[in-house]
Amino acid sequence: MGFSSRMDCCGQFVKYSLFVANFVIFVGGATVFCLSLWTLVDRSFMNELLGTNLFSGAVYVLLVTSVAICLLSFLGCVGAGKEVKCLLLTYFIMVALVFVTMLIGGILGYVFRERVQQTMRQEMRSSMALYGSRRDITQAWDQTQERLQCCGVDTWHDWNRFGPIPESCCQEIFGGQRKECTIFPTITNLYSQGCLYVTSNYIREHAAVIGGTSIGVAIIMIFGMIFSCLLFNMIE
């Protein structure tokens, strides 16, 4: 076990490069974990309106994958420090599997994004009929409209089919009070944008941040695999 004399300098370079790569991978994995957790908590108020578990499912996968990445980075450091070929081989295989998982997840998210939006439209329209009769639906709509400053699916006119326009559609004025938009609804005192458009952008922004970070981590993982493979071949 160890390097031959002529490979000492090159071997040490590869060894410490693997350490650095794994440190960056660990930081990246921890960042993806925090961002995924933040996304799950931050968008929990509109769960009932999405009509699909694809987005939350993808975030949960990234959450678990980020934990695996942190553990793998530790394994890579141990394998490099102890110069154990078995650990390095295990590290290479597991990192390759995680990398493929992240790649497939990104492709699926891109392919199904339009389908998700169509599902959201159908679910949001059907849930409007339950506003006021189901507490979870009512809270989801009110919190979504208040936090994202939107109203209805495509426009506030969508509420006309189901009764009075919710107070959560009303723009706030000074003192936290709301204008009487449920009695005299006009475009001046109601949120003008539909919640489908705003929600879609909201999810895309969150997904873009997580996706960009994940891509960055995946690129560093490639270097981790390269250095582990080189180090594996150098150890006698």
Side-chain angles (χ1 to χ4, degrees), residues 165-206:
I165 298 174
E167 187 176 336
S168 55
C169 276
C170 306
Q171 299 182 38
E172 291 186 1
I173 56 176
F174 297 109
Q177 298 179 347
R178 297 182 183 275
K179 298 179 180 179
E180 296 296 330
C181 60
T182 55
I183 300 176
F184 303 106
T186 67
I187 197 168
T188 59
N189 54 16
L190 289 170
Y191 293 128
S192 58
Q193 289 186 312
C195 288
L196 178 64
Y197 173 78
V198 179
T199 302
S200 298
N201 285 345
Y202 184 80
I203 292 177
R204 285 195 186 100
E205 288 173 1
H206 280 63

Side-chain angles (χ1 to χ4, degrees), residues 3-234:
F3 304 116
S4 62
S5 57
R6 68 185 181 86
M7 292 297 292
D8 244 358
C9 183
C10 185
Q12 290 298 324
F13 172 78
V14 172
K15 180 178 178 178
Y16 288 111
S17 295
L18 183 58
F19 270 117
V20 173
N22 277 294
F23 176 74
V24 176
I25 290 172
F26 177 84
V27 173
T31 303
V32 173
F33 176 83
C34 293
L35 288 174
S36 300
L37 194 62
W38 164 64
T39 299
L40 288 174
V41 173
D42 195 46
R43 59 163 277 289
S44 61
F45 63 90
M46 55 182 175
N47 279 345
E48 297 294 332
L49 307 183
L50 294 182
T52 177
N53 293 322
L54 182 59
F55 179 71
S56 58
V59 176
Y60 276 118
V61 169
L62 282 176
L63 197 67
V64 175
T65 304
S66 62
V67 174
I69 288 173
C70 291
L71 294 175
L72 283 174
S73 63
F74 176 75
L75 179 64
C77 287
V78 173
K82 299 293 185 180
E83 299 177 15
V84 180
K85 297 185 74 171
C86 181
L87 286 178
L88 288 172
L89 180 61
T90 303
Y91 169 83
F92 177 85
I93 294 173
M94 295 184 70
V95 169
L97 291 174
V98 171
F99 175 79
V100 171
T101 301
M102 293 179 68
L103 184 63
I104 292 175
I107 293 173
L108 287 177
Y110 177 80
V111 170
F112 288 109
R113 63 180 181 174
E114 295 302 327
R115 182 178 176 183
V116 169
Q117 184 169 351
Q118 185 60 32
T119 304
M120 284 174 57
R121 181 188 297 276
Q122 296 172 356
E123 183 67 19
M124 291 176 77
R125 286 193 180 280
S126 61
S127 65
M128 293 180 79
L130 301 175
Y131 183 88
S133 60
R134 278 186 52 181
R135 183 179 179 182
D136 55 344
I137 297 294
T138 303
Q139 288 181 341
W141 267 111
D142 285 341
Q143 291 182 31
T144 298
Q145 292 181 146
E146 287 176 357
R147 290 187 60 173
L148 303 185
Q149 297 185 352
C150 59
C151 185
V153 180
D154 297 301
T155 174
W156 60 269
H157 291 289
D158 295 329
W159 285 109
N160 291 335
R161 298 169 50 195
F162 305 101
I165 298 174
E167 187 176 336
S168 55
C169 276
C170 306
Q171 299 182 38
E172 291 186 1
I173 56 176
F174 297 109
Q177 298 179 347
R178 297 182 183 275
K179 298 179 180 179
E180 296 296 330
C181 60
T182 55
I183 300 176
F184 303 106
T186 67
I187 197 168
T188 59
N189 54 16
L190 289 170
Y191 293 128
S192 58
Q193 289 186 312
C195 288
L196 178 64
Y197 173 78
V198 179
T199 302
S200 298
N201 285 345
Y202 184 80
I203 292 177
R204 285 195 186 100
E205 288 173 1
H206 280 63
V209 172
I210 297 176
T213 307
S214 300
I215 291 172
V217 174
I219 292 173
I220 303 299
M221 287 170 67
I222 295 175
F223 287 99
M225 287 188 287
I226 292 173
F227 290 134
S228 65
C229 186
L230 290 173
L231 190 60
F232 178 86
N233 291 324
M234 289 178 179

